[in-house]
């Protein structure tokens, strides 16, 4: 194998690596033009203002009703905003690509909200018109800070459910004890009524009246009421706050991970561009070597001058 052939083979193998990486990169994103259109502060601000304006006119229409002189204009603008939000979904789809778009829960949330908005357009069923206000929920997906809080709540859901289970056990035990000790009291006549009375006590609703009423039946009723209040209102209920706060604190870490992934993708783009440039440079050098070899061969085979 000649040097030229070896160099050509090496250049071809070098070209295959960035090609494979480029094919892998294409699976991640959509069309660059649409990414440029939807990934800037002007686009985000425009969509946010549309959501706020749509919420404002919906509130105005709900307050004044069909008797308002602007009712027809509001209906028309509702359709305009619905078309704008639909166009946003389409642009985001082309910007992210099918794979990434449908892998995001927030995109599914937007699709459901816009779908319900189209159902609410149907004038045949007036009750469906109330679904128009669901469009305001898009404010959550449009504002990153609000989106972070909602994501934190969902991530804290297992801890919240565990805390709720503990609270349910505490309420059940206290309801059984209260029904047994104060069965003649109207607030503890049965298990269901006792649950409602304990819930009111945990919110300090009528706490003084309840403890005075129970003290007339049992002088030690204050031990029961205070003990339940400390356990339920101060201890267990604060577990919810602790779980949510921990989830909110962990949310920025997830956002940092997403930003790191985006930076890594940008670095891969730069690396692919550099590898492409290196391959092109190698091909140019190979062509120059081949031309030099041909020139040298022509000069060596030429007949000497007379």
């Amino acid at each position: 194998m000649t040097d030229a052939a070896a160099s050509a083979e090496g250049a071809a193998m070098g070209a295959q690596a960035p090609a494979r990486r480029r094919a892998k990169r294409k699976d991640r994103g959509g069309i660059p033009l649409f990414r440029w259109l939807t990934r800037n502060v002007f686009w985000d601000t425009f969509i946010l203002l549309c959501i706020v304006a749509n919420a404002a006119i919906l509130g105005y229409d709900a307050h004044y009703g069909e008797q308002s002189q602007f009712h027809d204009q509001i209906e028309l603008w509702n359709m305009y905003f619905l078309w704008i939000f639909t166009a946003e979904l389409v642009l985001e789809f082309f910007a992210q690509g099918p794979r990434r778009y449908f892998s995001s829960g927030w995109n599914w949330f937007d699709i459901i909200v816009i779908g319900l908005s189209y159902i609410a357009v149907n004038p045949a069923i007036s009750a469906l018109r109330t679904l128009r206000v669901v469009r305001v929920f898009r404010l959550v997906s449009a504002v990153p800070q609000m989106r972070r809080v909602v994501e934190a709540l969902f991530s804290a859901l297992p801890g919240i459910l565990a805390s709720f289970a503990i609270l349910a056990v505490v309420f059940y035990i206290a309801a059984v004890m209260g029904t047994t000790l104060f069965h003649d009291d109207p607030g503890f006549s049965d298990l269901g009524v006792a649950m409602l009375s304990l819930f009111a006590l945990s919110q300090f609703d009528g706490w003084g009246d309840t403890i005075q009423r129970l003290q007339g039946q049992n002088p030690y009723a204050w031990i029961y009421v205070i003990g339940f209040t400390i356990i339920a209102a101060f201890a267990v209920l604060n577990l919810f706050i602790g779980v949510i706060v921990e989830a909110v604190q962990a949310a920025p870490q997830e956002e940092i991970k997403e930003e790191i992934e985006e930076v890594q993708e940008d670095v891969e783009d730069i690396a692919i561009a550099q590898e492409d440039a290196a391959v092109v440079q190698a091909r140019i050098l190979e062509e120059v070597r081949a031309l030099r070899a041909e020139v040298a061969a022509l000069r060596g085979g030429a007949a000497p001058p007379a």
Side-chain angles (χ1 to χ4, degrees):
M1 181 182 293
T2 64
D3 295 339
S7 301
E9 183 179 357
M13 294 179 62
Q16 292 177 359
R20 288 192 297 267
R21 293 179 60 181
R22 194 180 301 107
K24 182 180 178 181
R25 183 78 177 100
K26 286 182 180 179
D27 295 336
R28 298 179 184 175
I31 302 174
L33 175 61
F34 291 100
R35 283 203 302 270
W36 176 79
L37 287 173
T38 59
R39 295 294 182 272
N40 58 78
V41 66
F42 300 104
W43 174 261
D44 296 337
T45 304
F46 171 72
I47 295 299
L48 182 61
L49 291 177
C50 288
I51 296 173
V52 173
N54 194 196
I57 65 174
L58 285 174
Y60 181 90
D61 190 50
H63 181 74
Y64 290 100
E66 297 183 359
Q67 292 75 22
S68 172
Q69 58 179 340
F70 302 108
H71 177 71
D72 294 335
Q73 289 83 354
I74 289 175
E75 291 294 326
L76 186 61
W77 274 101
N78 274 326
M79 288 302 304
Y80 290 158
F81 284 125
L82 183 56
W83 293 340
I84 290 173
F85 297 146
T86 305
E88 180 201 2
L89 293 185
V90 175
L91 292 177
E92 287 289 346
F93 175 80
F94 287 115
Q96 300 180 24
R99 186 174 182 179
R100 173 174 290 185
Y101 185 84
F102 290 112
S103 64
S104 174
W106 287 110
N107 291 332
W108 281 106
F109 174 79
D110 292 338
I111 293 173
I112 293 173
V113 169
I114 299 303
L116 292 175
S117 299
Y118 275 103
I119 295 175
V121 172
N122 186 5
I125 305 177
S126 58
L128 293 177
R129 292 172 58 84
T130 58
L131 294 176
R132 296 184 303 174
V133 76
V134 176
R135 247 178 282 173
V136 182
F137 273 121
R138 294 215 56 237
L139 192 64
V140 177
S141 63
V143 180
Q145 290 78 8
M146 298 176 66
R147 190 166 61 235
R148 189 182 307 129
V149 172
V150 174
E151 291 174 352
L153 287 176
F154 276 102
S155 63
L157 194 59
I160 292 176
L161 293 177
S163 301
F164 180 78
I166 296 173
L167 186 62
V169 171
V170 172
F171 265 79
Y172 180 76
I173 294 173
V176 172
M177 294 176 62
T179 305
T180 303
L181 295 174
F182 314 108
H183 187 72
D184 296 332
D185 187 86
F188 293 88
S189 58
D190 57 49
L191 202 61
V193 175
M195 284 281 192
L196 293 176
S197 299
L198 291 173
F199 183 79
L201 285 175
S202 66
Q203 305 300 315
F204 299 98
D205 183 13
W207 191 88
D209 297 337
T210 301
I211 196 171
Q212 288 181 1
R213 192 175 68 246
L214 296 180
Q215 282 286 105
Q217 301 182 24
N218 191 327
Y220 298 102
W222 63 272
I223 299 177
Y224 168 81
V225 176
I226 293 178
F228 169 78
T229 305
I230 292 175
I231 295 175
F234 293 120
V236 180
L237 286 179
N238 285 332
L239 288 176
F240 287 96
I241 300 175
V243 170
I244 294 174
V245 168
E246 183 181 0
V248 171
Q249 291 177 345
Q253 299 179 0
E254 297 296 329
E255 186 176 358
I256 291 173
K257 290 181 180 179
E258 294 179 357
E259 292 179 355
I260 292 175
E261 291 178 356
E262 293 180 358
V263 172
Q264 289 176 346
E265 292 176 358
D266 294 337
V267 171
E268 288 183 2
D269 287 339
I270 296 173
I272 291 173
Q274 291 177 344
E275 291 180 358
D276 289 341
V279 170
V280 172
Q281 184 179 6
R283 289 179 178 176
I284 293 174
L285 292 176
E286 179 59 32
E287 292 292 336
V288 171
R289 293 193 187 98
L291 290 174
R292 287 179 177 177
E294 292 178 1
V295 171
L298 291 174
R299 287 179 178 177

